[in-house]
């Protein structure tokens, strides 16, 4: 008798938990609007960098702070390429709130920069791309990439002008990520929204401590050629 | 009033009316050329501006073509190359400014993204290319289409 009461009580409790979860899920779906489908814009920026038609610099504010999205800014804190020679900005001078810095030049070798800016970062990278083919440089490369860009989440990519973000999408798609979950949001230089975190300060210094930064310590990784 | 004076008066009135009609036709009916005459032709030449120099040209009510570029943008380089390859009669002097400067000028009221080209007449922006517009995409991707756009706003 006592046992049957325990079983009955447990059953009720289980039903209550399931109902609670279902209700919570329903409320969550109501609170967080569905993301528009990832769709490359049919304009100059879309054709050049793959910038998204629906989620871009102008609309990103509506899609910040979501649990179903990871936010990545692909710039270096300071790019060795001398962008100031072409009136550019080699420093990460600001970021959209919630985006975490994950520099593309540490993920893969970057090529095709304008001659005037000289060479960019040439140190170790997780992958090397040659003629569109990506080769792992470390045993941990794939795992790190999957940790930084979880496949079960939507991935929002930004950088300064859109180039690094576009190149990141291209890399991830080539390596097996679902293009429908990858959004090239665009460039911070064009962002005029309400969530602008300024890193360059009035005196010209940079408040890098305000940034969430994904560091890759290559010295702790195992080179594939070592195996 | 004698007959001769009357004739003079009528003739004068008709003459004046004809003058007004001609002026009206020139000003309103006959379409005038609203395109821009650039400073020099025959050679493709680019002059780099910063935000202050641009604003001074606007204040001086100058007429010119300006290219807004983004460091590292492939397409902007393409446009400069296209200009060099245009026939001599379609080559011209133009100005260029980086996005870093452009966003701090009055041009930012029109141009929201780089790359872009803008035509300025007497200190007023009369046309610009929008990198975020589907309609303008053809001008960024094809030198012949861009030539058509330029001819619409610039006297060659």
């Amino acid at each position: 008798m006592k046992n049957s009461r325990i079983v009955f009580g447990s059953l009720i409790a289980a039903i209550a938990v399931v109902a609670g979860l279902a209700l919570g899920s329903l409320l969550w779906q109501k609170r967080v609007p569905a993301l528009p489908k990832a769709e490359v814009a049919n304009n100059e920026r879309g054709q050049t960098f793959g910038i998204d038609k629906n989620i871009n610099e102008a609309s990103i504010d509506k899609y910040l702070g979501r649990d179903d999205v990871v936010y990545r800014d692909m710039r270096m804190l300071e790019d060795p390429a001398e962008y100031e020679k072409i009136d550019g900005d080699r420093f990460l001078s600001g970021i959209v709130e919630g985006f975490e810095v994950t520099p593309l030049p540490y993920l893969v070798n970057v090529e095709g920069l304008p001659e005037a800016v000289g060479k960019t970062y040439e140190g170790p990278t997780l992958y090397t791309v040659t003629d569109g083919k990506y080769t792992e440089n470390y045993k941990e490369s794939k795992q790190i990439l999957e940790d930084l860009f979880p496949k079960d989440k939507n991935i929002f990519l930004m950088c300064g002008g859109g180039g690094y973000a576009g190149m990141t999408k291209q890399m991830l798609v080539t390596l097996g990520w679902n293009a429908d979950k990858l959004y090239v949001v665009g460039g911070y230089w064009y962002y005029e929204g309400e969530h602008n975190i300024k890193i360059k300060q009035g005196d010209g210094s940079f408040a890098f401590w305000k940034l969430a930064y994904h560091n890759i310590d290559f010295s702790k990784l195992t080179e594939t050629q070592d195996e | 009033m004698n007959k001769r004076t009357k004739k003079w008066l009528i003739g004068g009135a008709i003459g004046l009316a004809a003058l007004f009609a001609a002026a009206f036709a020139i000003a309103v009916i006959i379409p005038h050329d609203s395109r821009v005459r650039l400073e020099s032709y025959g050679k493709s030449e680019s002059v780099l501006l910063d935000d202050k120099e641009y604003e001074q040209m606007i204040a001086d009510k100058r007429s010119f073509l300006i290219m807004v570029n983004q460091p590292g943008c492939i397409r902007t380089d393409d446009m400069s190359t296209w200009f060099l390859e245009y026939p001599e009669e379609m080559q011209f002097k133009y100005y260029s400014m980086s996005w870093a400067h452009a966003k701090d000028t009055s041009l930012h009221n029109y141009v929201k993204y780089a790359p872009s080209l803008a035509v300025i007449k007497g200190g007023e922006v009369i046309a610009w290319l929008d990198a975020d517009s589907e309609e303008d995409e053809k001008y960024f991707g094809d030198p012949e289409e861009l030539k058509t756009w330029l001819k619409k706003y610039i006297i060659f």
Side-chain angles (χ1 to χ4, degrees):
Chain A
M1 187 69 185
K2 197 178 175 187
N3 277 351
S4 68
R5 277 171 75 179
I6 290 169
V7 169
F8 185 69
S10 304
L11 197 64
I12 297 287
I15 289 169
V17 167
V18 170
L21 284 172
L23 187 67
S25 165
L26 268 176
L27 287 173
W28 167 254
Q29 280 171 14
K30 273 197 169 180
R31 195 174 68 84
V32 181
L35 287 179
K37 191 173 169 282
E39 190 180 353
V40 173
N42 185 25
N43 56 35
E44 163 63 8
R45 290 165 11 96
Q47 299 309 305
T48 307
F49 301 127
I51 289 170
D52 196 76
K53 184 180 177 180
N54 303 304
I55 304 180
N56 46 47
E57 301 95 331
S59 62
I60 181 63
D61 278 7
K62 286 190 285 182
Y63 302 100
L64 294 175
R66 297 176 63 113
D67 289 339
D68 58 346
V69 174
V70 292
Y71 302 86
R72 300 286 180 257
D73 189 307
M74 308 312 300
R75 287 173 290 169
M76 301 181 83
L77 299 184
E78 180 186 355
D79 200 312
E82 296 175 278
Y83 279 106
E84 62 276 10
K85 283 192 174 168
I86 52 171
D87 247 344
D89 191 358
R90 73 154 85 184
F91 293 96
L92 195 151
S93 55
I95 199 163
V96 176
E97 190 181 338
F99 276 77
E100 298 172 4
V101 182
T102 317
L104 175 68
Y106 297 147
L107 306 183
V108 69
N109 53 311
V110 174
E111 288 169 347
L113 295 182
E115 248 177 62
V117 304
K119 288 177 177 173
T120 183
Y121 171 78
E122 289 184 322
T125 55
L126 291 181
Y127 286 82
T128 298
V129 61
T130 315
D131 298 329
K133 190 172 178 280
Y134 291 85
T135 312
E136 288 174 17
N137 294 328
Y138 297 91
K139 199 181 155 195
E140 301 86 350
S141 292
K142 197 174 180 201
Q143 186 58 55
I144 295 172
L145 210 61
E146 285 179 350
D147 288 342
L148 292 173
F149 304 95
K151 284 181 171 170
D152 61 336
K153 300 267 189 182
N154 296 290
I155 297 163
F156 284 12
L157 302 165
M158 282 192 89
C159 57
Y164 275 10
M167 288 159 90
T168 306
K169 178 176 177 178
Q170 197 177 12
M171 174 187 183
L172 294 176
V173 170
T174 307
L175 291 172
W177 268 252
N178 180 358
D180 291 344
K181 285 179 168 281
L182 289 161
Y183 296 76
V184 179
V185 174
Y188 169 79
W189 300 335
Y190 304 108
Y191 176 71
E192 292 177 14
E194 302 292 317
H195 297 269
N196 185 1
I197 308 286
K198 288 190 175 168
I199 302 300
K200 188 173 185 177
Q201 302 184 108
D203 62 359
S205 64
F206 292 86
F208 288 138
W209 59 85
K210 290 183 183 176
L211 297 166
Y213 184 87
H214 291 278
N215 183 46
I216 301 170
D217 185 352
F218 289 96
S219 70
K220 301 284 192 294
L221 306 182
T222 314
E223 289 187 40
T224 46
Q225 62 204 39
D226 290 347
E227 285 183 87
Chain B
M1 191 184 295
N2 63 28
K3 222 175 174 180
R4 208 173 159 193
T5 316
K6 215 173 178 179
K7 263 183 168 175
W8 272 105
L9 277 174
I10 293 167
I14 290 172
L16 266 175
L19 202 68
F20 278 121
F24 180 76
I26 289 166
V28 180
I29 300 169
I30 300 168
H32 61 285
D33 197 342
S34 61
R35 294 178 301 166
V36 168
R37 182 170 294 284
L38 298 177
E39 288 168 354
S40 77
Y41 292 90
K43 187 184 166 198
S44 183
E45 184 191 352
S46 166
V47 178
L48 191 66
L49 296 180
D50 64 22
D51 49 343
K52 288 185 182 69
E53 289 164 330
Y54 172 82
E55 292 298 9
Q56 189 56 55
M57 287 179 75
I58 294 297
D60 293 344
K61 300 200 177 306
R62 303 258 297 267
S63 298
F64 56 99
L65 175 84
I66 187 156
M67 176 186 287
V68 178
N69 51 40
Q70 174 188 293
C73 175
I74 302 158
R75 283 285 172 85
T76 309
D77 293 337
D78 281 356
M79 281 179 163
S80 314
T81 315
W82 297 347
F83 289 169
L84 285 168
E85 288 167 358
Y86 282 170
E88 200 178 305
E89 67 273 15
M90 265 208 77
Q91 293 204 5
F92 48 83
K93 176 181 171 183
Y94 63 98
Y95 293 85
S96 60
M97 179 163 55
S98 73
W99 176 252
H101 285 295
K103 70 181 180 186
D104 294 330
T105 67
S106 52
L107 187 60
H108 191 202
N109 293 330
Y110 307 88
V111 175
K112 302 288 184 191
Y113 300 96
S116 178
L117 284 176
V119 182
I120 321 284
K121 186 180 184 185
E124 299 287 334
V125 178
I126 61 164
W128 69 96
L129 287 180
D130 180 3
D132 209 41
S133 146
E134 289 189 12
E135 208 176 293
D136 286 355
E137 165 56 10
K138 59 179 181 284
Y139 302 123
F140 289 99
D142 182 343
E144 289 307 310
E145 289 283 0
L146 182 64
K147 209 185 269 182
T148 310
W149 185 83
L150 289 168
K151 281 178 177 170
K152 212 164 138 187
Y153 301 103
I154 293 168
I155 297 169
F156 287 104

